mmCIF file of all heavy atoms in Angstrom:
data_model
loop_
_atom_site.group_PDB
_atom_site.id
_atom_site.type_symbol
_atom_site.label_atom_id
_atom_site.label_comp_id
_atom_site.label_asym_id
_atom_site.label_seq_id
_atom_site.Cartn_x
_atom_site.Cartn_y
_atom_site.Cartn_z
ATOM 1 N N PRO A 183 -74.975 10.236 -50.551
ATOM 2 C CA PRO A 183 -74.774 9.746 -49.193
ATOM 3 C C PRO A 183 -75.358 10.709 -48.163
ATOM 4 O O PRO A 183 -75.393 11.917 -48.364
ATOM 5 C CB PRO A 183 -73.252 9.665 -49.059
ATOM 6 C CG PRO A 183 -72.712 10.591 -50.085
ATOM 7 C CD PRO A 183 -73.724 10.625 -51.195
ATOM 8 N N HIS A 186 -74.005 12.519 -41.444
ATOM 9 C CA HIS A 186 -74.455 12.792 -40.082
ATOM 10 C C HIS A 186 -73.486 13.775 -39.462
ATOM 11 O O HIS A 186 -72.279 13.645 -39.600
ATOM 12 C CB HIS A 186 -74.515 11.502 -39.265
ATOM 13 C CG HIS A 186 -75.486 10.513 -39.817
ATOM 14 N ND1 HIS A 186 -76.842 10.643 -39.651
ATOM 15 C CD2 HIS A 186 -75.305 9.401 -40.557
ATOM 16 C CE1 HIS A 186 -77.449 9.642 -40.260
ATOM 17 N NE2 HIS A 186 -76.537 8.870 -40.825
ATOM 18 N N ASP A 192 -72.625 27.517 -28.366
ATOM 19 C CA ASP A 192 -72.094 28.337 -27.282
ATOM 20 C C ASP A 192 -73.107 29.431 -26.986
ATOM 21 O O ASP A 192 -73.460 30.209 -27.879
ATOM 22 C CB ASP A 192 -70.758 28.969 -27.697
ATOM 23 C CG ASP A 192 -70.255 29.965 -26.664
ATOM 24 O OD1 ASP A 192 -70.175 29.581 -25.479
ATOM 25 O OD2 ASP A 192 -69.956 31.105 -27.037
ATOM 26 N N ILE A 193 -73.591 29.464 -25.747
ATOM 27 C CA ILE A 193 -74.517 30.528 -25.345
ATOM 28 C C ILE A 193 -73.707 31.513 -24.518
ATOM 29 O O ILE A 193 -73.375 31.253 -23.358
ATOM 30 C CB ILE A 193 -75.715 29.966 -24.554
ATOM 31 C CG1 ILE A 193 -76.472 28.965 -25.424
ATOM 32 C CG2 ILE A 193 -76.617 31.110 -24.102
ATOM 33 C CD1 ILE A 193 -77.556 28.212 -24.708
ATOM 34 N N ALA A 197 -74.743 36.569 -27.358
ATOM 35 C CA ALA A 197 -75.335 35.842 -28.484
ATOM 36 C C ALA A 197 -75.196 34.330 -28.314
ATOM 37 O O ALA A 197 -74.364 33.853 -27.537
ATOM 38 C CB ALA A 197 -74.663 36.253 -29.789
ATOM 39 N N LEU A 198 -76.000 33.618 -29.076
ATOM 40 C CA LEU A 198 -75.854 32.170 -29.243
ATOM 41 C C LEU A 198 -75.080 31.971 -30.537
ATOM 42 O O LEU A 198 -75.436 32.544 -31.566
ATOM 43 C CB LEU A 198 -77.234 31.504 -29.330
ATOM 44 C CG LEU A 198 -77.287 30.004 -29.598
ATOM 45 C CD1 LEU A 198 -78.549 29.415 -28.988
ATOM 46 C CD2 LEU A 198 -77.239 29.662 -31.070
ATOM 47 N N GLY A 208 -63.853 11.527 -44.890
ATOM 48 C CA GLY A 208 -62.766 11.451 -43.924
ATOM 49 C C GLY A 208 -62.239 12.784 -43.442
ATOM 50 O O GLY A 208 -61.293 12.825 -42.669
ATOM 51 N N THR A 211 -65.579 18.709 -41.552
ATOM 52 C CA THR A 211 -65.932 19.881 -42.340
ATOM 53 C C THR A 211 -67.041 20.670 -41.650
ATOM 54 O O THR A 211 -68.032 20.096 -41.205
ATOM 55 C CB THR A 211 -66.434 19.441 -43.736
ATOM 56 O OG1 THR A 211 -65.441 18.603 -44.329
ATOM 57 C CG2 THR A 211 -66.702 20.626 -44.632
ATOM 58 N N THR A 213 -70.189 22.623 -41.954
ATOM 59 C CA THR A 213 -71.193 22.663 -43.012
ATOM 60 C C THR A 213 -72.294 23.690 -42.767
ATOM 61 O O THR A 213 -73.093 23.942 -43.668
ATOM 62 C CB THR A 213 -71.832 21.271 -43.192
ATOM 63 O OG1 THR A 213 -72.393 20.850 -41.940
ATOM 64 C CG2 THR A 213 -70.807 20.259 -43.678
ATOM 65 N N ASP A 216 -74.625 29.406 -37.300
ATOM 66 C CA ASP A 216 -75.695 30.353 -37.001
ATOM 67 C C ASP A 216 -75.217 31.266 -35.881
ATOM 68 O O ASP A 216 -74.352 30.896 -35.078
ATOM 69 C CB ASP A 216 -76.969 29.619 -36.585
ATOM 70 C CG ASP A 216 -78.226 30.458 -36.766
ATOM 71 O OD1 ASP A 216 -78.113 31.665 -37.092
ATOM 72 O OD2 ASP A 216 -79.330 29.923 -36.587
ATOM 73 N N TYR A 217 -75.773 32.474 -35.859
ATOM 74 C CA TYR A 217 -75.454 33.480 -34.855
ATOM 75 C C TYR A 217 -76.755 34.176 -34.502
ATOM 76 O O TYR A 217 -77.404 34.761 -35.369
ATOM 77 C CB TYR A 217 -74.437 34.480 -35.427
ATOM 78 C CG TYR A 217 -74.002 35.553 -34.455
ATOM 79 C CD1 TYR A 217 -72.955 35.327 -33.571
ATOM 80 C CD2 TYR A 217 -74.631 36.793 -34.431
ATOM 81 C CE1 TYR A 217 -72.544 36.306 -32.683
ATOM 82 C CE2 TYR A 217 -74.232 37.779 -33.543
ATOM 83 C CZ TYR A 217 -73.187 37.538 -32.679
ATOM 84 O OH TYR A 217 -72.783 38.508 -31.800
ATOM 85 N N ASP A 230 -83.491 39.179 -18.373
ATOM 86 C CA ASP A 230 -83.906 37.873 -17.846
ATOM 87 C C ASP A 230 -83.131 36.814 -18.631
ATOM 88 O O ASP A 230 -83.553 36.415 -19.719
ATOM 89 C CB ASP A 230 -85.418 37.703 -18.025
ATOM 90 C CG ASP A 230 -85.936 36.382 -17.490
ATOM 91 O OD1 ASP A 230 -85.127 35.486 -17.160
ATOM 92 O OD2 ASP A 230 -87.168 36.228 -17.406
ATOM 93 N N LEU A 234 -84.152 35.120 -22.273
ATOM 94 C CA LEU A 234 -83.366 35.470 -23.464
ATOM 95 C C LEU A 234 -82.695 34.238 -24.071
ATOM 96 O O LEU A 234 -82.620 34.101 -25.293
ATOM 97 C CB LEU A 234 -82.328 36.532 -23.108
ATOM 98 C CG LEU A 234 -82.900 37.906 -22.732
ATOM 99 C CD1 LEU A 234 -81.805 38.808 -22.182
ATOM 100 C CD2 LEU A 234 -83.592 38.549 -23.921
ATOM 101 N N ARG A 236 -83.852 31.099 -23.819
ATOM 102 C CA ARG A 236 -84.938 30.326 -24.457
ATOM 103 C C ARG A 236 -85.296 30.916 -25.818
ATOM 104 O O ARG A 236 -85.479 30.184 -26.791
ATOM 105 C CB ARG A 236 -86.180 30.295 -23.558
ATOM 106 C CG ARG A 236 -86.145 29.229 -22.487
ATOM 107 C CD ARG A 236 -87.497 29.048 -21.812
ATOM 108 N NE ARG A 236 -87.939 30.233 -21.106
ATOM 109 C CZ ARG A 236 -87.586 30.548 -19.869
ATOM 110 N NH1 ARG A 236 -86.768 29.765 -19.195
ATOM 111 N NH2 ARG A 236 -88.026 31.639 -19.296
ATOM 112 N N GLU A 237 -85.392 32.236 -25.892
ATOM 113 C CA GLU A 237 -85.722 32.886 -27.162
ATOM 114 C C GLU A 237 -84.637 32.634 -28.219
ATOM 115 O O GLU A 237 -84.949 32.384 -29.380
ATOM 116 C CB GLU A 237 -85.925 34.389 -26.952
ATOM 117 C CG GLU A 237 -87.179 34.728 -26.176
ATOM 118 C CD GLU A 237 -87.272 36.188 -25.780
ATOM 119 O OE1 GLU A 237 -86.386 36.991 -26.161
ATOM 120 O OE2 GLU A 237 -88.235 36.532 -25.076
ATOM 121 N N ALA A 238 -83.380 32.701 -27.811
ATOM 122 C CA ALA A 238 -82.285 32.440 -28.749
ATOM 123 C C ALA A 238 -82.331 30.997 -29.236
ATOM 124 O O ALA A 238 -82.148 30.729 -30.433
ATOM 125 C CB ALA A 238 -80.942 32.746 -28.092
ATOM 126 N N LEU A 239 -82.579 30.051 -28.322
ATOM 127 C CA LEU A 239 -82.682 28.649 -28.732
ATOM 128 C C LEU A 239 -83.870 28.424 -29.659
ATOM 129 O O LEU A 239 -83.768 27.682 -30.646
ATOM 130 C CB LEU A 239 -82.785 27.749 -27.504
ATOM 131 C CG LEU A 239 -81.480 27.540 -26.747
ATOM 132 C CD1 LEU A 239 -81.734 26.866 -25.399
ATOM 133 C CD2 LEU A 239 -80.503 26.716 -27.574
ATOM 134 N N PRO A 248 -82.070 20.319 -36.191
ATOM 135 C CA PRO A 248 -81.158 19.309 -35.666
ATOM 136 C C PRO A 248 -81.797 17.917 -35.717
ATOM 137 O O PRO A 248 -83.005 17.772 -35.603
ATOM 138 C CB PRO A 248 -80.929 19.738 -34.222
ATOM 139 C CG PRO A 248 -81.272 21.181 -34.189
ATOM 140 C CD PRO A 248 -82.350 21.369 -35.221
ATOM 141 N N GLN A 249 -80.948 16.905 -35.888
ATOM 142 C CA GLN A 249 -81.399 15.520 -35.947
ATOM 143 C C GLN A 249 -82.181 15.182 -34.695
ATOM 144 O O GLN A 249 -81.852 15.630 -33.609
ATOM 145 C CB GLN A 249 -80.207 14.592 -36.076
ATOM 146 C CG GLN A 249 -80.589 13.148 -36.272
ATOM 147 C CD GLN A 249 -79.381 12.273 -36.524
ATOM 148 O OE1 GLN A 249 -78.266 12.771 -36.670
ATOM 149 N NE2 GLN A 249 -79.581 10.995 -36.555
ATOM 150 N N GLY A 250 -83.219 14.385 -34.859
ATOM 151 C CA GLY A 250 -84.036 13.980 -33.727
ATOM 152 C C GLY A 250 -85.234 14.889 -33.523
ATOM 153 O O GLY A 250 -86.065 14.643 -32.661
ATOM 154 N N GLY A 254 -85.877 17.212 -39.020
ATOM 155 C CA GLY A 254 -84.423 17.193 -38.883
ATOM 156 C C GLY A 254 -83.780 16.189 -39.825
ATOM 157 O O GLY A 254 -84.429 15.347 -40.408
#
Side-chain angles (χ1 to χ4, degrees):
H186 298 284
D192 173 52
I193 300 172
L198 176 152
T211 306
T213 57
D216 202 353
Y217 182 86
D230 181 349
L234 293 171
R236 277 192 297 275
E237 290 171 4
L239 285 169
Q249 185 175 353

